[in-house]
Amino acid sequence: MTLYYTLVFMLLVAEMALFMLLVIPLPFTMRRKLFTFISENPIVAKVQYWLKITFVFILILFIDSVNRVYRVQVELAAATEGNNGQSATAIMGHERLEVQARKFYSQRNMYLCGFTLFLSLILNRTYIMILETLRLEEKVKLYEGSEKNTKQAEKLAQAGDAGEIARLKREIKLRDQDIATLKKQSEGLHREYDELAERYGATQENGKLSKKDK
């Protein structure tokens, strides 16, 4: 097995271990802390970014392995048809064994890359489903009044995004709150200015009327 296929196999083993970690039954608080850590840790966000690039290369390897399997299958069929008039010993000769070996290695690489890509999709979907379940459990606890840790609840609601994206979303939310506060203050100042302008206009009119009366 070449080096890159060895790395693909190691990634497949890591995916299986991560899948077992996700589906293993854990208490609600531990699972919430685990998903909060995954969503907020910047190192995890960088690892997810590089894994996406790695899966693109694995997809290229998968396409190449499928192409190799097809070519070996065509070559094997051509060799079998060419040896129809020969004896069975000639058909099972050295060339056929070599083609069979290449077919085995090509199929092994195809299944290895295919299962790695498929398990990555399963992991992503499993992560999203568990995250949605945790959010629903959090809402139920909040409605029942049995959950008092609101900070952890807010972190869980923001889980599922990359660390940098989650941080930017929090900053945007704070900016929106500041903008809303400034709008309220500006509206209050505008109302006060209108009231003062009306009072000033009323005093000016009263002054003119008093001068005319004199």
Side-chain angles (χ1 to χ4, degrees), residues 4-5 57-75 102-115 117:
Y4 44 87
Y5 283 115
F57 287 105
I58 294 176
L59 178 61
I60 296 173
L61 290 175
F62 176 73
I63 296 172
D64 180 68
S65 61
V66 171
N67 186 28
R68 287 177 183 272
V69 169
Y70 175 74
R71 286 187 299 175
V72 171
Q73 192 71 30
V74 171
E75 186 177 351
R102 287 194 285 116
K103 178 182 177 182
F104 168 76
Y105 291 129
S106 300
Q107 288 179 343
R108 180 202 62 186
N109 297 334
M110 180 183 68
Y111 291 139
L112 180 63
C113 296
F115 280 124
L117 293 172

Side-chain angles (χ1 to χ4, degrees), residues 77-132:
T80 304
E81 291 176 0
N83 290 324
N84 281 334
Q86 300 180 8
S87 62
T89 306
I91 296 175
M92 295 300 294
H94 176 71
E95 293 182 358
R96 182 177 175 84
L97 291 177
E98 184 181 355
V99 173
Q100 290 280 7
R102 287 194 285 116
K103 178 182 177 182
F104 168 76
Y105 291 129
S106 300
Q107 288 179 343
R108 180 202 62 186
N109 297 334
M110 180 183 68
Y111 291 139
L112 180 63
C113 296
F115 280 124
T116 303
L117 293 172
F118 180 72
L119 188 55
S120 67
L121 298 176
I122 295 297
L123 276 175
N124 185 37
R125 186 58 185 168
T126 304
Y127 173 77
I128 294 173
M129 291 177 63
I130 295 175
L131 188 61
E132 292 295 329

